Structures are given as C-alpha cells and as structure tokens.
Amino acid sequence: MDHFSTIIGRSPELDSLIRSAKIAASTDVTILIKGETGTGKEVLATAIQKASPRANKKFVTINCAALPEGLIESELFGHKKGAFTGANASSQGLFQAADGGTLFLDEINSLPLIVQGKLLRFLDSGECLPVGETTSYKVNVRVIAATNSDLNEQIKSGQFRQDLYYRLNVVPIELPPLAKRSEDIEHLVKHFLRQFADLHSIKPPQFSKPALKVLKAYKWPGNIRELRNLCERLSILLSGRVIEVENLPSEFRINATAHASKITGFVLPEAGLQLDSLEADLINQALDRTKGNRSQSAKLLGLSRDTLLYRMQKHGFTAH
C-alpha cells in the first residue's frame, strides 16, 4: 500500500519531495518538516510513520504551540508527584507513551528554551528527565518534528538552540506553499469535492474553467487548508451545480481583477462598457496617431494588417 497517496498532486517539486520522504521513512532517522501553516505537514508526518518500520507501533502527536509554556515540559517528559502545584500524582510523559514508536512534534519552533535543552539531551542519549526527578529514564522513540517558521531566524534572535536545530535537521523536507503548486490545484479540488460528496451524501459540484483559472492565480495564504475549506463550503451550498467565478468569495474575485489588471493594464469598469464602441474608438485613435498608416496602426493594436482592415470594415470606417 502506498501510504503517500494521501498527498495529492503531480507537480515535479512534490514528486521529488515524496521520493525523499519515502527513503527517509524506511529508516529511523530524525526528520524536520518545514512549511507554512496549512501545507500538510501533519499529513506528511503520518504518511512517513505509516511507511516506516514502526508503523505498527504507537504514533503520538503534540502541537507544541497548543500547551501553556509551564506544562510542555511535564507533558513531554512526565513529572514526579509534588513537583509543582497541582501535581497530585506522578505522571508519564509523551515520550514514555510513545516508547517503541514515533513522536510527532508539530510547531517545534514554539518550544521554550529549557525544554529545547531536554529534547536535545534525548536526541543525543535517548534519556528523559521527568520534572522534579533526579533520575532519568531511557526510551526508544523516533522523532519527526515540524515548523511553520524560519528556525535560522529564531536562532539569530536567540529563540531557538542552534545545536538542537542541527540535531533535528538530519533529513529536512520542505513542503512548498500552494501558490507554488498551482498545477496541483485541479487535482486537489477534485479530491476534496469527491471527499465531501461522500461525507455529506450529496452530489459534487464542478468548477468551471474560468473559476479554476481564478483559483490558480490566487495567493492562498491559508494554503491547502484554505482550499479544503472553500471546497467544503461550495460542495454544500452549490451541490451538483457548476461553480462560476461569481460564486467564489469576494477575495478571489478581487484578486482575479488585480491579476488581470497587472497583465493587461486595464480594469473593466464596475458599470461595464460597450466593447464595439471601445474597439472602434481605439482603431480611430491608432489611425490618427499614425496619420492613417494602416500597417503601423495594426502594429499599435497588436493585430495583423488584414485583421485591422476587417475590423475597420465591420465598424464602417471609410478611407482615412
């Protein structure tokens, strides 16, 4: 079974990334997954775990940014009874819970410095020290970490230990943002529409070609998670219908207008326009500027001379 089939896309960059992940998955090496929020870091970590020799062992995940700073150390390494206020009994940490398996540390960039030091000790020796204890314990745990920020910048600012970064960064895998995977958007859309049709027992909608074009030009600040949410919303609201550009949220339409303006230098007025009148006026301006030279006028308008003559005849131009 190909556990990496959960990662949808066919872009060359993604294919290369998956090949590297498959090779790393077959070993016990520490992996650092880098990527913006919403790019699918946890999906990739899960695929790596399922394709690893530890696939049948425990897979424990924790979002390091989701816990208060004072609890992260105890959550990871455990604590002794009475180690702090509220510690009414000794408790195992996640490293003990994951013994023999894999621990996924998401948003590792949020770890406090003191906990970073204890994590480095584990990666170097396999030893963990519970809060309030003087005796450490050993566990056999593979670590996969993920970050949504630039750890090199955090090292410069003193927020992340350089030695820990080198220890985590044995096999770095960087997930590209969705905006750099525009060729994968259509594959992702089809996947999500089928998924939500099954989940909600509805007929899936379809995106028109112009609507797909708008999706491919969008910047996707929320990456795949944002695309997934959009597909779920439109699957429910427009079940069985064709999704046109006007059905997309306003930020997509605004972006499409700005994109068109950047390419053509022209923005369609809100009130619309009369295309025939505009074409005739532009032909007239070109002829005036070239003093009636039709070859030069055609060049100004980006047309062949024959096309210009045809359009002049269409608009009833007389010899100029």
Side-chain angles (χ1 to χ4, degrees):
M1 181 179 178
D2 183 8
H3 298 291
F4 290 87
S5 61
T6 54
I7 303 166
I8 309 299
R10 298 178 186 173
S11 61
E13 191 173 6
L14 194 67
D15 283 344
S16 174
L17 179 154
I18 290 173
R19 281 196 299 273
S20 298
K22 284 180 176 179
I23 294 169
S26 65
T27 71
D28 253 358
V29 70
T30 302
I31 295 174
L32 179 61
I33 303 173
K34 306 174 183 180
E36 295 176 7
T37 298
T39 49
K41 296 186 292 297
E42 186 168 355
V43 173
L44 178 59
T46 302
I48 290 170
Q49 188 272 338
K50 287 182 176 179
S52 77
R54 297 176 185 250
N56 296 323
K57 305 293 184 180
K58 292 177 183 176
F59 182 47
V60 179
T61 69
I62 181 172
N63 186 319
C64 299
L67 287 173
E69 186 172 326
L71 293 179
I72 292 177
E73 185 178 0
S74 168
E75 189 75 16
L76 287 174
F77 304 105
H79 65 258
K80 181 182 179 181
K81 179 180 178 180
F84 50 85
T85 303
N88 299 320
S90 296
S91 176
Q92 279 193 343
L94 292 178
F95 273 98
Q96 284 175 296
D99 193 14
T102 305
L103 179 62
F104 175 51
L105 299 171
D106 198 6
E107 295 195 51
I108 198 165
N109 46 288
S110 300
L111 276 185
L113 284 167
I114 188 171
V115 182
Q116 291 178 32
K118 295 187 76 168
L119 176 59
L120 178 63
R121 178 184 178 182
F122 165 76
L123 292 171
D124 283 338
S125 66
E127 292 185 349
C128 298
L129 184 66
V131 178
E133 275 284 8
T134 55
T135 305
S136 60
Y137 60 86
K138 277 201 168 190
V139 287
N140 177 10
V141 175
R142 189 217 190 141
V143 170
I144 301 174
T147 177
N148 58 13
S149 69
D150 187 340
L151 292 182
N152 284 307
E153 289 300 317
Q154 288 194 238
I155 290 168
K156 289 177 186 176
S157 64
Q159 296 175 292
F160 203 86
R161 294 181 59 135
Q162 189 173 46
D163 48 4
L164 176 59
Y165 174 70
Y166 291 140
R167 194 64 184 78
L168 290 168
N169 201 44
V170 180
V171 176
I173 300 177
E174 187 155 4
L175 281 165
L178 186 55
K180 291 185 178 178
R181 292 175 51 194
S182 59
E183 61 265 59
D184 288 336
I185 286 175
E186 191 166 356
H187 300 296
L188 285 161
V189 163
K190 287 178 180 177
H191 167 75
F192 288 136
L193 293 182
R194 284 196 303 266
Q195 184 183 73
F196 294 125
D198 293 341
L199 179 65
H200 300 295
S201 300
I202 54 177
K203 187 176 179 182
Q206 290 183 326
F207 281 85
S208 68
K209 287 186 177 180
L212 276 172
K213 190 175 180 181
V214 169
L215 295 189
K216 289 177 181 180
Y218 184 61
K219 297 300 181 185
W220 296 106
N223 290 296
I224 296 172
R225 186 177 294 134
E226 184 181 6
L227 176 60
R228 183 184 186 278
N229 291 344
L230 175 72
C231 288
E232 183 166 24
R233 183 195 323 167
L234 295 177
S235 291
I236 293 168
L237 297 179
L238 299 172
S239 171
R241 292 172 53 186
V242 175
I243 300 166
E244 302 290 355
V245 175
E246 56 265 28
N247 301 130
L248 298 175
S250 59
E251 61 266 26
F252 288 84
R253 299 195 302 274
I254 291 167
N255 180 77
T257 301
H259 184 69
S261 174
K262 191 179 291 185
I263 294 172
T264 66
F266 180 79
V267 178
L268 181 69
E270 287 292 330
L273 53 76
Q274 294 297 318
L275 190 57
D276 275 353
S277 299
L278 177 62
E279 183 179 69
D281 184 51
L282 290 172
I283 291 171
N284 197 50
Q285 289 183 49
L287 290 168
D288 282 343
R289 186 174 298 180
T290 61
K291 296 182 170 55
N293 186 308
R294 296 177 182 184
S295 296
Q296 290 181 23
S297 295
K299 190 175 180 181
L300 278 177
L301 295 168
L303 304 173
S304 68
R305 190 174 186 279
D306 287 344
T307 301
L308 174 62
L309 292 175
Y310 165 75
R311 295 190 180 184
M312 286 175 65
Q313 186 178 19
K314 182 181 78 168
H315 293 296
F317 278 79
T318 55
H320 201 282

